[in-house]
Amino acid sequence: MNTAPAASSAPAGGPRWLTDEEQRVWRSYIEAATLLEDHLDRQLQRDAGMPHVYYGLLVKLAESPHRRLRMTELAMSAKITRSRLSHAIARLEKSGWVRREDCPSDKRGQFAVLTDEGQEVLDRHAPGHVDAVRQAVFDRLTPEQQKSLGEIMRIVAEGLQPSGAGADLPWLR
């Protein structure tokens, strides 16, 4: 139930409450995003012994030249904090799937490198993960809905990544 005043009755400069339709869309999005992340996380934990975020890091490294990225670039690409990335990479190192290398041009910088074992794990578990994504999302949508979803999510993501100085983005924290 929406207990806020009607959107049209908001005072000048006051909160812009969501309309009933906006509230329905927002709650549908939150429910779907939460359930989808849980679904994919459980599938990867069961099949590969890793959370969804770790799988995403392995994919980012596998798609990078020489299977390596600077830690700062990997955090930016994965949209996570540097602290969360550091913890994840430590766990992936422990499994032998990733290793860190010092950056020769910057004594403070490090690279995350996907190992051969990490690539094998990714190759082994990618088909099951892609199937889970396909069943959860793409098999439920028409091609037009898929295109619309992609456009909508791109617009939302772009709006949440300001480029100005002082931007509060996860990989800058």
Side-chain angles (χ1 to χ4, degrees):
M1 174 191 324
N2 185 358
T3 58
S8 59
S9 67
R16 291 180 49 221
W17 299 107
L18 299 179
T19 65
D20 288 343
E21 179 61 14
E22 289 169 334
Q23 188 73 258
R24 185 191 65 73
V25 169
W26 175 245
R27 288 181 179 175
S28 293
Y29 164 77
I30 291 296
E31 289 173 10
T34 301
L35 289 168
L36 179 60
E37 184 61 28
D38 178 70
H39 174 73
L40 297 176
D41 202 54
R42 283 184 297 112
Q43 178 268 321
L44 284 164
Q45 287 284 8
R46 179 188 66 239
D47 296 349
M50 75 177 95
H52 189 218
V53 70
Y54 291 14
Y55 178 86
L57 295 171
L58 296 179
V59 169
K60 300 274 185 204
L61 290 171
E63 293 173 342
S64 300
H66 309 290
R67 298 188 324 202
R68 62 191 279 147
L69 276 174
R70 285 195 56 149
M71 293 285 283
T72 52
E73 292 174 50
L74 185 54
M76 184 184 333
S77 179
K79 311 293 186 235
I80 61 176
T81 63
R82 292 179 288 194
S83 172
R84 186 171 185 195
L85 175 66
S86 183
H87 176 75
I89 293 298
R91 296 284 307 271
L92 291 168
E93 279 182 301
K94 206 174 199 178
S95 298
W97 301 340
V98 171
R99 72 174 180 276
R100 293 183 212 222
E101 293 179 356
D102 291 332
C103 178
S105 63
D106 178 2
K107 293 185 192 232
R108 294 182 304 161
Q110 284 191 317
F111 287 97
V113 182
L114 183 66
T115 64
D116 290 341
E117 186 179 348
Q119 183 66 57
E120 289 171 12
V121 166
L122 193 57
D123 292 344
R124 187 168 52 251
H125 296 290
H129 180 64
V130 170
D131 190 49
V133 170
R134 181 167 298 290
Q135 288 178 10
V137 179
F138 294 100
D139 289 350
R140 299 172 187 273
L141 302 176
T142 66
E144 295 80 21
Q145 290 170 325
Q146 292 174 24
K147 183 178 180 190
S148 294
L149 179 62
E151 291 170 355
I152 291 164
M153 292 296 98
R154 181 186 48 76
I155 290 167
V156 171
E158 286 174 358
L160 292 171
Q161 296 180 88
S163 58
D168 185 18
L169 297 166
W171 54 91
L172 299 176
R173 288 185 232 136

